[in-house]
């Protein structure tokens, strides 16, 4: 299972540069689109294909909730994905632990998982290690860059090692 956050991961905090050939990719500006969100043009339309190439079930783990499937998925070429329900997010997490952490461990239901987010910390890793019986990769994405090839390569290496151990 691969949990995907949107803000800071698929939508970086800073505009993405034009393509290597110097042409604008359509992602570098901050103009409003038809949905009125000035940041949606920061989405990389290749991210969907790159995420689908990973060996695992993709799941939205974002406050975008169902809007992730309606607004984000079509722009990056993803089908509708399962969405983590944050209904139990009213619980107060331990100090320093992200409010999503326990919910994602429950959603994974004892299975290995990857969590791509820009807000994970060592406190989350320690909490998962102590409360989740299977391996988990909490991969921190630089929120200013968004998801990069380096991030995806690290996830792929971890998943490949996980599958080799089976």
């Amino acid at each position: 299972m691969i949990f995907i956050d949107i803000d800071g991961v698929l939508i970086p905090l800073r505009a993405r540069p034009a393509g290597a050939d110097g042409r604008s990719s359509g992602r570098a500006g901050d103009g409003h689109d038809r949905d009125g969100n000035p940041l949606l043009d920061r989405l990389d339309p290749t991210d969907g294909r790159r995420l689908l190439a990973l060996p695992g079930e993709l799941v939205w783990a974002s406050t975008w909730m169902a809007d992730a499937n309606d607004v984000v998925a079509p722009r990056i070429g993803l089908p509708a994905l399962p969405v983590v329900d944050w209904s139990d997010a009213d619980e107060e997490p331990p100090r320093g632990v992200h409010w999503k952490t326990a919910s994602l461990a429950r959603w994974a239901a004892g299975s290995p998982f990857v969590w791509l987010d820009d807000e994970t910390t060592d406190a989350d890793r320690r909490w998962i290690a102590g409360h989740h019986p299977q391996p988990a990769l909490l991969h921190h994405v630089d929120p200013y860059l968004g998801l990069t090839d380096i991030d995806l390569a690290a996830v792929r290496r971890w998943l490949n090692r996980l599958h080799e151990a089976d």
Side-chain angles (χ1 to χ4, degrees):
M1 198 166 307
I2 304 168
F3 294 113
I4 308 163
D5 184 35
I6 294 175
D7 295 312
V9 175
L10 299 180
I11 300 176
L13 297 180
R14 134 172 101 204
R16 295 179 194 240
D21 58 5
R23 291 182 296 155
S24 172
S25 64
R27 300 177 307 217
D30 282 331
H32 287 271
D33 73 345
R34 70 180 188 277
D35 289 310
N37 185 327
L39 303 180
L40 289 174
D41 62 347
R42 293 182 182 182
L43 289 166
D44 183 337
T46 66
D47 279 347
R49 175 184 45 78
R50 296 179 326 145
L51 287 165
L52 288 169
L54 295 173
E57 176 189 6
L58 303 177
V59 178
W60 292 121
S62 171
T63 57
W64 281 71
M65 304 287 296
D67 287 341
N69 283 322
D70 297 336
V71 178
V72 176
R75 284 177 168 77
I76 63 172
L78 286 177
L81 302 176
V83 178
V84 173
D85 178 11
W86 305 116
S87 62
D88 57 1
D90 291 337
E91 300 172 17
E92 187 67 29
R95 185 180 176 136
V97 175
H98 196 285
W99 63 268
K100 292 179 183 178
T101 305
S103 294
L104 295 181
R106 278 191 296 278
W107 185 276
S111 297
F113 70 88
V114 171
W115 177 15
L116 295 168
D117 204 302
D118 62 312
E119 297 181 344
T120 56
T121 66
D122 287 338
D124 300 299
R125 288 177 189 83
R126 285 190 300 272
W127 191 94
I128 290 292
H131 294 86
H132 187 72
Q134 292 293 319
L137 172 64
L138 281 61
H139 184 82
H140 183 268
V141 174
D142 183 329
Y144 291 97
L145 298 176
L147 191 65
T148 66
D149 288 337
I150 294 168
D151 296 315
L152 291 169
V155 169
R156 181 171 280 105
R157 276 191 309 275
W158 188 85
L159 289 167
N160 287 342
R161 283 193 305 268
L162 181 68
H163 293 297
E164 290 169 1
D166 286 344

